[in-house]
Amino acid sequence: MSENTATVANAPGGVPAVDPKRWLALGVIAIAQLMVVLDATIVNIAMPSAQHALHINDANRQWILTAYTLAFGGFLLLGGRIADYVGRKKILLIGLIGFAAASALGGAAQNAAMLFAARGLQGLFGALLAPAALSLITVTFTDVKDRAKAFGVFGAISGVGAAIGLIMGGLLTEYTTWRWCLLVNIPIALIAFALALPIVKESRAEGNTKYDIPGAVLSTAGLVALVYGFTKAAENGWSALSTIAWFVVAAVLLIGFVVVEMLTKHPLLPLRVVLHRNRGGSTLVSITLGAGMMGMFLFMTYYFQGTLHYSPLKSGVSYLPFSGALIVTAILASGLLPKIGARVMMSIGGLLAAGSMVWLTQLKIDSSYPAFIMPALVIMAVGMALVFVPLGNTALSGVDPRDAGVASALLNTSQQIGGSLGVALLNTVFTTALANFITSHAKTDGIEKATALGAVHGYNVAFTVSAVLLGASAVIIFLMIQNTPANTAAGDSAEAPAMAHIG
């Protein structure tokens, strides 16, 4: 049985039978995907409240995001292989229950360590849940047209879900407590679990079922050590022995990962996948864009609530122009892609995104939302959409069938890892800039005013680094991405949209 053949009865002639419950199954899968997408944006809005309630310092607050994204990105490739060979329905069910349990733990968190651990567990179960849901669409919808419609629904859930999460996060934080931004996952997961039992059919792949556990552990541990090194830099400085030690540990672990992938017979990430020019370039772009963009979301949330004193709900609503512009531009860009090509479209997008971040480096303590902030968010959204619409094709076009699943998962993995590293780096840059500003201005301006002005100064410095990362993305696109007939086509692919985890 091939990897994409479901264990369902065949119609006469050996053609896979059409599952009569396939659209109901899509509804269940969509609920599971919605939960994963909601979790990212809901928590973003709730971060200031959670940080205050649990007395988390500025240097460590980024773990609220990075504990999730590192676990999710680090184990996503392994999660896909486990789902394929253990059973996609079984892993979907395990992922749902595990995600619900981790959300309950986070909602009940009494201290920072408990919250960080819960977020890491959410990421781990999300790494099982997401590829299982994606694979189930592929094997449930055997008709090409039906499959295209199903992936269209899946992509729409990803885009609209991010916007819903921003509003829901604001409502829950403002009118209940930040804890419900995690606890809300429990009823969603249980509903999806109850519906999946009778509706979703089991499917699995046959063949070699060996897993590259050492590769997954080394890569994830190396990334965690790297992020922890950024945290120590924020606390003790870049030249501190503890900071350097963690960076050395990270380097050793990540080099070890590369060595393992070169030597093992069943690598988690075959190096041939990333050594291809377009796929390697797409991976680098996904990392740098994820790093620059996630930093923007983190600091704008704190600026809205801490400097402009927006309520959590108003903060969530303030992001809606970004979500709307992203969706509209993605629709228009799909039609333009065959006419102007992936390289031109992505280069323009990278420059627009970098330009919007340069714009935000001029942020002031009383900047106008409609005149200054909203235009920057819209330009950022347009730029991101112009990059991400072709990105799936540039990453997957011409890939060997045996590497298709790995190449697809790598795209989401690299964006998650980029976001993790970006948040950690930029939070360290912000914390250092804030501390230096307070030290320099506390005597003349007073500690309260120096802290308020220093926060905005820190945001501006962090946005400058983000602009460099986004500018680097544009350079990588121009130098590495090549137009081919496949990656300039606007047709539906059999994989999830590259924008599945934006925000």
Side-chain angles (χ1 to χ4, degrees), residues 154-215:
F154 191 88
I157 287 291
S158 299
V160 175
I164 294 173
L166 293 168
I167 301 300
M168 188 179 292
L171 286 169
L172 291 173
T173 303
E174 186 163 346
Y175 294 111
T176 59
T177 169
W178 65 268
R179 296 180 184 278
W180 273 103
C181 292
L182 293 165
L183 296 174
V184 72
N185 292 320
I186 299 172
I188 298 175
L190 293 179
I191 290 170
F193 183 90
L195 293 174
L197 282 174
I199 293 174
V200 177
K201 293 185 180 295
E202 183 61 283
S203 69
R204 61 174 55 86
E206 291 182 354
N208 196 314
T209 58
K210 293 184 178 179
Y211 307 121
D212 181 16
I213 303 294

Short mmCIF file of all heavy atoms in Angstrom, two decimals, residues 154-215:
data_model
loop_
_atom_site.label_atom_id
_atom_site.label_comp_id
_atom_site.label_asym_id
_atom_site.label_seq_id
_atom_site.Cartn_x
_atom_site.Cartn_y
_atom_site.Cartn_z
N PHE A 154 -9.19 24.32 3.98
CA PHE A 154 -8.12 24.23 4.97
C PHE A 154 -7.33 25.54 5.03
O PHE A 154 -7.03 26.06 6.10
CB PHE A 154 -7.19 23.07 4.59
CG PHE A 154 -6.21 22.68 5.66
CD1 PHE A 154 -6.54 21.77 6.64
CD2 PHE A 154 -4.93 23.22 5.67
CE1 PHE A 154 -5.64 21.38 7.62
CE2 PHE A 154 -4.00 22.85 6.64
CZ PHE A 154 -4.37 21.93 7.61
N GLY A 155 -7.02 26.10 3.85
CA GLY A 155 -6.28 27.35 3.80
C GLY A 155 -7.09 28.52 4.33
O GLY A 155 -6.57 29.39 5.02
N ALA A 156 -8.40 28.53 4.01
CA ALA A 156 -9.25 29.60 4.50
C ALA A 156 -9.35 29.57 6.02
O ALA A 156 -9.32 30.62 6.69
CB ALA A 156 -10.65 29.47 3.89
N ILE A 157 -9.46 28.37 6.59
CA ILE A 157 -9.50 28.22 8.05
C ILE A 157 -8.22 28.79 8.65
O ILE A 157 -8.24 29.48 9.68
CB ILE A 157 -9.63 26.74 8.44
CG1 ILE A 157 -11.05 26.25 8.15
CG2 ILE A 157 -9.29 26.52 9.91
CD1 ILE A 157 -12.11 26.84 9.05
N SER A 158 -7.09 28.54 8.00
CA SER A 158 -5.81 29.03 8.51
C SER A 158 -5.76 30.55 8.51
O SER A 158 -5.30 31.17 9.48
CB SER A 158 -4.66 28.46 7.66
OG SER A 158 -4.65 27.06 7.72
N GLY A 159 -6.24 31.16 7.42
CA GLY A 159 -6.19 32.61 7.33
C GLY A 159 -7.21 33.30 8.22
O GLY A 159 -6.88 34.21 8.99
N VAL A 160 -8.46 32.85 8.13
CA VAL A 160 -9.53 33.47 8.91
C VAL A 160 -9.35 33.16 10.40
O VAL A 160 -9.64 33.99 11.26
CB VAL A 160 -10.91 32.97 8.42
CG1 VAL A 160 -12.02 33.51 9.31
CG2 VAL A 160 -11.13 33.40 6.98
N GLY A 161 -8.85 31.96 10.71
CA GLY A 161 -8.66 31.56 12.11
C GLY A 161 -7.72 32.48 12.85
O GLY A 161 -7.90 32.76 14.04
N ALA A 162 -6.68 32.96 12.15
CA ALA A 162 -5.74 33.87 12.79
C ALA A 162 -6.44 35.16 13.21
O ALA A 162 -6.22 35.69 14.30
CB ALA A 162 -4.58 34.17 11.84
N ALA A 163 -7.33 35.66 12.33
CA ALA A 163 -8.07 36.88 12.66
C ALA A 163 -9.05 36.63 13.79
O ALA A 163 -9.20 37.47 14.70
CB ALA A 163 -8.81 37.38 11.41
N ILE A 164 -9.74 35.49 13.76
CA ILE A 164 -10.67 35.15 14.84
C ILE A 164 -9.93 35.06 16.17
O ILE A 164 -10.43 35.51 17.21
CB ILE A 164 -11.38 33.81 14.53
CG1 ILE A 164 -12.27 33.95 13.31
CG2 ILE A 164 -12.21 33.34 15.73
CD1 ILE A 164 -12.87 32.64 12.84
N GLY A 165 -8.73 34.50 16.14
CA GLY A 165 -7.95 34.36 17.36
C GLY A 165 -7.62 35.69 17.99
O GLY A 165 -7.62 35.84 19.22
N LEU A 166 -7.33 36.70 17.16
CA LEU A 166 -7.02 38.03 17.68
C LEU A 166 -8.21 38.62 18.43
O LEU A 166 -8.07 39.18 19.51
CB LEU A 166 -6.60 38.95 16.53
CG LEU A 166 -5.28 38.61 15.84
CD1 LEU A 166 -5.14 39.40 14.55
CD2 LEU A 166 -4.10 38.88 16.75
N ILE A 167 -9.40 38.48 17.84
CA ILE A 167 -10.61 39.01 18.48
C ILE A 167 -10.96 38.19 19.72
O ILE A 167 -11.26 38.74 20.80
CB ILE A 167 -11.79 38.99 17.49
CG1 ILE A 167 -11.47 39.84 16.26
CG2 ILE A 167 -13.05 39.51 18.18
CD1 ILE A 167 -11.19 41.29 16.57
N MET A 168 -10.92 36.86 19.58
CA MET A 168 -11.26 36.00 20.70
C MET A 168 -10.29 36.20 21.86
O MET A 168 -10.69 36.23 23.04
CB MET A 168 -11.26 34.54 20.27
CG MET A 168 -11.79 33.58 21.33
SD MET A 168 -11.81 31.85 20.76
CE MET A 168 -13.07 31.95 19.50
N GLY A 169 -9.01 36.35 21.55
CA GLY A 169 -8.02 36.60 22.58
C GLY A 169 -8.31 37.88 23.35
O GLY A 169 -8.21 37.94 24.58
N GLY A 170 -8.70 38.92 22.61
CA GLY A 170 -9.05 40.18 23.25
C GLY A 170 -10.29 40.06 24.12
O GLY A 170 -10.33 40.55 25.26
N LEU A 171 -11.32 39.38 23.60
CA LEU A 171 -12.57 39.21 24.37
C LEU A 171 -12.34 38.41 25.65
O LEU A 171 -12.79 38.80 26.73
CB LEU A 171 -13.62 38.50 23.50
CG LEU A 171 -14.27 39.35 22.39
CD1 LEU A 171 -15.07 38.45 21.45
CD2 LEU A 171 -15.17 40.42 22.99
N LEU A 172 -11.64 37.28 25.51
CA LEU A 172 -11.43 36.42 26.67
C LEU A 172 -10.56 37.08 27.72
O LEU A 172 -10.83 36.99 28.93
CB LEU A 172 -10.80 35.09 26.22
CG LEU A 172 -11.69 34.16 25.40
CD1 LEU A 172 -10.90 32.96 24.88
CD2 LEU A 172 -12.88 33.68 26.23
N THR A 173 -9.50 37.77 27.27
CA THR A 173 -8.60 38.42 28.23
C THR A 173 -9.28 39.57 28.94
O THR A 173 -9.11 39.77 30.16
CB THR A 173 -7.34 38.93 27.51
OG1 THR A 173 -6.69 37.82 26.85
CG2 THR A 173 -6.35 39.53 28.50
N GLU A 174 -10.08 40.34 28.19
CA GLU A 174 -10.70 41.53 28.76
C GLU A 174 -11.88 41.19 29.66
O GLU A 174 -12.06 41.82 30.72
CB GLU A 174 -11.15 42.46 27.63
CG GLU A 174 -11.67 43.79 28.14
CD GLU A 174 -11.73 44.84 27.05
OE1 GLU A 174 -11.14 44.62 25.98
OE2 GLU A 174 -12.38 45.87 27.27
N TYR A 175 -12.70 40.21 29.26
CA TYR A 175 -13.95 39.97 29.99
C TYR A 175 -13.91 38.73 30.88
O TYR A 175 -14.84 38.50 31.65
CB TYR A 175 -15.11 39.87 29.00
CG TYR A 175 -15.36 41.18 28.28
CD1 TYR A 175 -15.10 41.31 26.92
CD2 TYR A 175 -15.81 42.30 28.98
CE1 TYR A 175 -15.32 42.51 26.26
CE2 TYR A 175 -16.01 43.51 28.34
CZ TYR A 175 -15.78 43.60 26.97
OH TYR A 175 -15.97 44.81 26.33
N THR A 176 -12.89 37.90 30.76
CA THR A 176 -12.73 36.78 31.70
C THR A 176 -11.33 36.87 32.31
O THR A 176 -11.10 37.66 33.20
CB THR A 176 -12.95 35.42 31.00
OG1 THR A 176 -12.02 35.26 29.92
CG2 THR A 176 -14.36 35.31 30.45
N THR A 177 -10.41 36.09 31.80
CA THR A 177 -9.02 36.12 32.26
C THR A 177 -8.15 35.54 31.16
O THR A 177 -8.64 34.79 30.30
CB THR A 177 -8.84 35.29 33.55
OG1 THR A 177 -7.45 35.12 33.82
CG2 THR A 177 -9.47 33.92 33.41
N TRP A 178 -6.88 35.87 31.20
CA TRP A 178 -5.95 35.35 30.18
C TRP A 178 -5.94 33.83 30.17
O TRP A 178 -5.63 33.20 29.15
CB TRP A 178 -4.54 35.87 30.44
CG TRP A 178 -3.92 35.39 31.72
CD1 TRP A 178 -3.96 36.01 32.93
CD2 TRP A 178 -3.17 34.18 31.92
NE1 TRP A 178 -3.30 35.27 33.88
CE2 TRP A 178 -2.80 34.14 33.28
CE3 TRP A 178 -2.78 33.13 31.09
CZ2 TRP A 178 -2.06 33.10 33.82
CZ3 TRP A 178 -2.04 32.10 31.63
CH2 TRP A 178 -1.69 32.07 32.98
N ARG A 179 -6.28 33.19 31.30
CA ARG A 179 -6.24 31.72 31.40
C ARG A 179 -7.20 31.07 30.40
O ARG A 179 -6.93 29.98 29.89
CB ARG A 179 -6.56 31.28 32.82
CG ARG A 179 -5.54 31.74 33.85
CD ARG A 179 -5.87 31.28 35.26
NE ARG A 179 -4.91 31.81 36.23
CZ ARG A 179 -3.73 31.27 36.47
NH1 ARG A 179 -3.35 30.18 35.83
NH2 ARG A 179 -2.92 31.81 37.38
N TRP A 180 -8.31 31.74 30.11
CA TRP A 180 -9.27 31.17 29.18
C TRP A 180 -8.77 31.17 27.73
O TRP A 180 -9.31 30.47 26.88
CB TRP A 180 -10.60 31.90 29.29
CG TRP A 180 -11.46 31.30 30.36
CD1 TRP A 180 -11.69 31.78 31.60
CD2 TRP A 180 -12.16 30.05 30.28
NE1 TRP A 180 -12.48 30.93 32.32
CE2 TRP A 180 -12.79 29.85 31.53
CE3 TRP A 180 -12.30 29.07 29.29
CZ2 TRP A 180 -13.57 28.74 31.80
CZ3 TRP A 180 -13.06 27.95 29.56
CH2 TRP A 180 -13.69 27.79 30.79
N CYS A 181 -7.71 31.93 27.46
CA CYS A 181 -7.10 31.88 26.13
C CYS A 181 -6.43 30.52 25.90
O CYS A 181 -6.19 30.13 24.75
CB CYS A 181 -6.09 33.01 25.97
SG CYS A 181 -6.85 34.64 25.93
N LEU A 182 -6.13 29.80 26.98
CA LEU A 182 -5.62 28.43 26.88
C LEU A 182 -6.74 27.42 27.12
O LEU A 182 -6.87 26.43 26.40
CB LEU A 182 -4.50 28.23 27.90
CG LEU A 182 -3.21 29.02 27.64
CD1 LEU A 182 -2.34 29.02 28.89
CD2 LEU A 182 -2.45 28.45 26.46
N LEU A 183 -7.58 27.68 28.10
CA LEU A 183 -8.64 26.74 28.46
C LEU A 183 -9.68 26.56 27.36
O LEU A 183 -10.33 25.51 27.27
CB LEU A 183 -9.33 27.20 29.75
CG LEU A 183 -8.45 27.23 31.02
CD1 LEU A 183 -9.23 27.84 32.18
CD2 LEU A 183 -7.96 25.83 31.37
N VAL A 184 -9.84 27.57 26.49
CA VAL A 184 -10.82 27.47 25.41
C VAL A 184 -10.52 26.32 24.45
O VAL A 184 -11.40 25.80 23.76
CB VAL A 184 -10.90 28.82 24.64
CG1 VAL A 184 -9.64 29.03 23.79
CG2 VAL A 184 -12.15 28.87 23.77
N ASN A 185 -9.25 25.88 24.43
CA ASN A 185 -8.89 24.75 23.56
C ASN A 185 -9.54 23.44 24.01
O ASN A 185 -9.73 22.53 23.20
CB ASN A 185 -7.37 24.54 23.55
CG ASN A 185 -6.64 25.68 22.87
OD1 ASN A 185 -7.10 26.19 21.85
ND2 ASN A 185 -5.52 26.10 23.42
N ILE A 186 -9.87 23.32 25.28
CA ILE A 186 -10.38 22.06 25.82
C ILE A 186 -11.71 21.67 25.17
O ILE A 186 -11.82 20.56 24.62
CB ILE A 186 -10.50 22.11 27.35
CG1 ILE A 186 -9.12 22.37 27.97
CG2 ILE A 186 -11.09 20.81 27.90
CD1 ILE A 186 -9.16 22.63 29.47
N PRO A 187 -12.76 22.52 25.19
CA PRO A 187 -13.99 22.11 24.53
C PRO A 187 -13.84 21.90 23.02
O PRO A 187 -14.46 21.00 22.45
CB PRO A 187 -14.96 23.26 24.84
CG PRO A 187 -14.11 24.41 25.23
CD PRO A 187 -12.90 23.82 25.87
N ILE A 188 -13.00 22.72 22.37
CA ILE A 188 -12.79 22.55 20.93
C ILE A 188 -12.18 21.18 20.64
O ILE A 188 -12.63 20.45 19.75
CB ILE A 188 -11.88 23.67 20.38
CG1 ILE A 188 -12.53 25.04 20.56
CG2 ILE A 188 -11.56 23.43 18.91
CD1 ILE A 188 -11.65 26.21 20.14
N ALA A 189 -11.16 20.81 21.42
CA ALA A 189 -10.49 19.52 21.21
C ALA A 189 -11.43 18.36 21.50
O ALA A 189 -11.45 17.36 20.76
CB ALA A 189 -9.25 19.42 22.10
N LEU A 190 -12.23 18.46 22.55
CA LEU A 190 -13.13 17.36 22.91
C LEU A 190 -14.24 17.19 21.87
O LEU A 190 -14.64 16.06 21.55
CB LEU A 190 -13.73 17.61 24.30
CG LEU A 190 -12.74 17.56 25.47
CD1 LEU A 190 -13.44 17.84 26.78
CD2 LEU A 190 -12.02 16.21 25.51
N ILE A 191 -14.74 18.29 21.33
CA ILE A 191 -15.75 18.20 20.26
C ILE A 191 -15.16 17.53 19.03
O ILE A 191 -15.76 16.63 18.43
CB ILE A 191 -16.29 19.61 19.91
CG1 ILE A 191 -17.14 20.15 21.07
CG2 ILE A 191 -17.09 19.57 18.62
CD1 ILE A 191 -17.51 21.62 20.92
N ALA A 192 -13.96 17.96 18.64
CA ALA A 192 -13.30 17.36 17.48
C ALA A 192 -13.03 15.87 17.71
O ALA A 192 -13.21 15.04 16.80
CB ALA A 192 -11.99 18.09 17.18
N PHE A 193 -12.62 15.51 18.92
CA PHE A 193 -12.35 14.10 19.26
C PHE A 193 -13.62 13.27 19.13
O PHE A 193 -13.62 12.19 18.52
CB PHE A 193 -11.80 14.02 20.68
CG PHE A 193 -11.42 12.63 21.12
CD1 PHE A 193 -10.14 12.15 20.91
CD2 PHE A 193 -12.35 11.79 21.73
CE1 PHE A 193 -9.77 10.87 21.31
CE2 PHE A 193 -12.01 10.51 22.13
CZ PHE A 193 -10.71 10.05 21.92
N ALA A 194 -14.73 13.76 19.72
CA ALA A 194 -16.00 13.01 19.68
C ALA A 194 -16.50 12.84 18.26
O ALA A 194 -17.04 11.77 17.91
CB ALA A 194 -17.03 13.74 20.53
N LEU A 195 -16.33 13.84 17.42
CA LEU A 195 -16.78 13.75 16.03
C LEU A 195 -15.86 12.87 15.19
O LEU A 195 -16.33 12.18 14.27
CB LEU A 195 -16.87 15.15 15.42
CG LEU A 195 -17.93 16.09 16.00
CD1 LEU A 195 -17.80 17.48 15.39
CD2 LEU A 195 -19.33 15.54 15.74
N ALA A 196 -14.57 12.91 15.49
CA ALA A 196 -13.61 12.14 14.69
C ALA A 196 -13.79 10.64 14.85
O ALA A 196 -13.58 9.87 13.90
CB ALA A 196 -12.19 12.55 15.06
N LEU A 197 -14.18 10.19 16.03
CA LEU A 197 -14.30 8.75 16.28
C LEU A 197 -15.19 8.05 15.27
O LEU A 197 -14.78 7.04 14.66
CB LEU A 197 -14.82 8.51 17.71
CG LEU A 197 -13.78 8.68 18.83
CD1 LEU A 197 -14.45 8.57 20.20
CD2 LEU A 197 -12.68 7.62 18.71
N PRO A 198 -16.42 8.51 15.01
CA PRO A 198 -17.27 7.81 14.04
C PRO A 198 -17.10 8.25 12.59
O PRO A 198 -17.53 7.54 11.67
CB PRO A 198 -18.69 8.14 14.53
CG PRO A 198 -18.55 9.50 15.12
CD PRO A 198 -17.19 9.57 15.72
N ILE A 199 -16.50 9.43 12.36
CA ILE A 199 -16.51 10.01 11.01
C ILE A 199 -15.20 9.78 10.25
O ILE A 199 -15.21 9.39 9.08
CB ILE A 199 -16.82 11.52 11.09
CG1 ILE A 199 -18.26 11.75 11.58
CG2 ILE A 199 -16.60 12.20 9.74
CD1 ILE A 199 -18.60 13.20 11.82
N VAL A 200 -14.08 10.04 10.89
CA VAL A 200 -12.78 9.97 10.19
C VAL A 200 -12.34 8.52 10.07
O VAL A 200 -12.39 7.75 11.04
CB VAL A 200 -11.71 10.78 10.95
CG1 VAL A 200 -10.35 10.65 10.27
CG2 VAL A 200 -12.13 12.25 11.03
N LYS A 201 -11.90 8.12 8.88
CA LYS A 201 -11.42 6.76 8.64
C LYS A 201 -9.92 6.68 8.90
O LYS A 201 -9.19 7.63 8.63
CB LYS A 201 -11.74 6.32 7.21
CG LYS A 201 -13.23 6.16 6.93
CD LYS A 201 -13.46 5.61 5.54
CE LYS A 201 -14.95 5.45 5.26
NZ LYS A 201 -15.57 4.45 6.14
N GLU A 202 -9.48 5.54 9.38
CA GLU A 202 -8.05 5.33 9.63
C GLU A 202 -7.31 5.12 8.32
O GLU A 202 -7.86 4.58 7.35
CB GLU A 202 -7.85 4.12 10.55
CG GLU A 202 -6.40 3.86 10.94
CD GLU A 202 -5.76 5.03 11.69
OE1 GLU A 202 -5.40 6.02 11.02
OE2 GLU A 202 -5.64 4.95 12.92
N SER A 203 -6.09 5.56 8.26
CA SER A 203 -5.21 5.31 7.12
C SER A 203 -3.78 5.31 7.61
O SER A 203 -3.45 6.00 8.58
CB SER A 203 -5.41 6.36 6.03
OG SER A 203 -4.91 7.61 6.45
N ARG A 204 -2.96 4.55 6.98
CA ARG A 204 -1.54 4.52 7.33
C ARG A 204 -0.73 4.09 6.12
O ARG A 204 -1.25 3.54 5.16
CB ARG A 204 -1.29 3.57 8.51
CG ARG A 204 -1.66 2.13 8.26
CD ARG A 204 -1.25 1.24 9.44
NE ARG A 204 -1.79 1.70 10.70
CZ ARG A 204 -2.99 1.38 11.17
NH1 ARG A 204 -3.78 0.60 10.45
NH2 ARG A 204 -3.42 1.84 12.31
N ALA A 205 0.56 4.37 6.17
CA ALA A 205 1.47 3.97 5.11
C ALA A 205 2.18 2.69 5.51
O ALA A 205 2.34 2.40 6.70
CB ALA A 205 2.49 5.08 4.85
N GLU A 206 2.59 1.95 4.52
CA GLU A 206 3.39 0.76 4.77
C GLU A 206 4.82 1.03 4.32
O GLU A 206 5.08 1.90 3.51
CB GLU A 206 2.82 -0.45 4.03
CG GLU A 206 1.48 -0.91 4.59
CD GLU A 206 0.94 -2.13 3.88
OE1 GLU A 206 1.57 -2.54 2.89
OE2 GLU A 206 -0.10 -2.65 4.31
N GLY A 207 5.75 0.26 4.85
CA GLY A 207 7.15 0.43 4.50
C GLY A 207 8.00 0.53 5.74
O GLY A 207 7.62 0.06 6.81
N ASN A 208 9.15 1.18 5.61
CA ASN A 208 10.09 1.27 6.72
C ASN A 208 9.52 2.21 7.80
O ASN A 208 9.19 3.36 7.52
CB ASN A 208 11.43 1.83 6.22
CG ASN A 208 12.54 1.58 7.22
OD1 ASN A 208 12.37 1.80 8.41
ND2 ASN A 208 13.66 1.09 6.74
N THR A 209 9.40 1.73 9.00
CA THR A 209 8.81 2.52 10.08
C THR A 209 9.85 2.98 11.11
O THR A 209 9.51 3.27 12.24
CB THR A 209 7.72 1.71 10.79
OG1 THR A 209 8.29 0.50 11.30
CG2 THR A 209 6.58 1.38 9.84
N LYS A 210 11.11 3.00 10.72
CA LYS A 210 12.14 3.48 11.65
C LYS A 210 12.12 5.00 11.71
O LYS A 210 11.94 5.67 10.70
CB LYS A 210 13.51 2.97 11.22
CG LYS A 210 13.67 1.45 11.35
CD LYS A 210 15.08 1.01 10.99
CE LYS A 210 15.23 -0.51 11.17
NZ LYS A 210 16.59 -0.97 10.82
N TYR A 211 12.31 5.53 12.90
CA TYR A 211 12.26 6.97 13.11
C TYR A 211 13.63 7.50 13.53
O TYR A 211 14.35 6.84 14.27
CB TYR A 211 11.24 7.33 14.19
CG TYR A 211 9.87 6.75 13.96
CD1 TYR A 211 9.28 5.91 14.90
CD2 TYR A 211 9.16 7.05 12.80
CE1 TYR A 211 8.02 5.38 14.70
CE2 TYR A 211 7.90 6.52 12.59
CZ TYR A 211 7.32 5.69 13.53
OH TYR A 211 6.09 5.16 13.31
N ASP A 212 13.93 8.69 13.05
CA ASP A 212 15.20 9.34 13.40
C ASP A 212 15.01 10.11 14.71
O ASP A 212 14.98 11.35 14.71
CB ASP A 212 15.63 10.26 12.25
CG ASP A 212 16.95 10.96 12.54
OD1 ASP A 212 17.67 10.51 13.46
OD2 ASP A 212 17.25 11.95 11.85
N ILE A 213 14.89 9.37 15.81
CA ILE A 213 14.71 10.01 17.12
C ILE A 213 15.93 10.86 17.50
O ILE A 213 15.77 12.00 17.97
CB ILE A 213 14.45 8.95 18.22
CG1 ILE A 213 13.22 8.11 17.86
CG2 ILE A 213 14.29 9.61 19.58
CD1 ILE A 213 11.93 8.86 17.86
N PRO A 214 17.17 10.36 17.32
CA PRO A 214 18.33 11.20 17.65
C PRO A 214 18.34 12.53 16.90
O PRO A 214 18.69 13.57 17.48
CB PRO A 214 19.53 10.33 17.25
CG PRO A 214 19.01 8.92 17.34
CD PRO A 214 17.59 9.00 16.89
N GLY A 215 17.95 12.50 15.63
CA GLY A 215 17.91 13.74 14.85
C GLY A 215 16.93 14.74 15.42
O GLY A 215 17.23 15.93 15.55
#
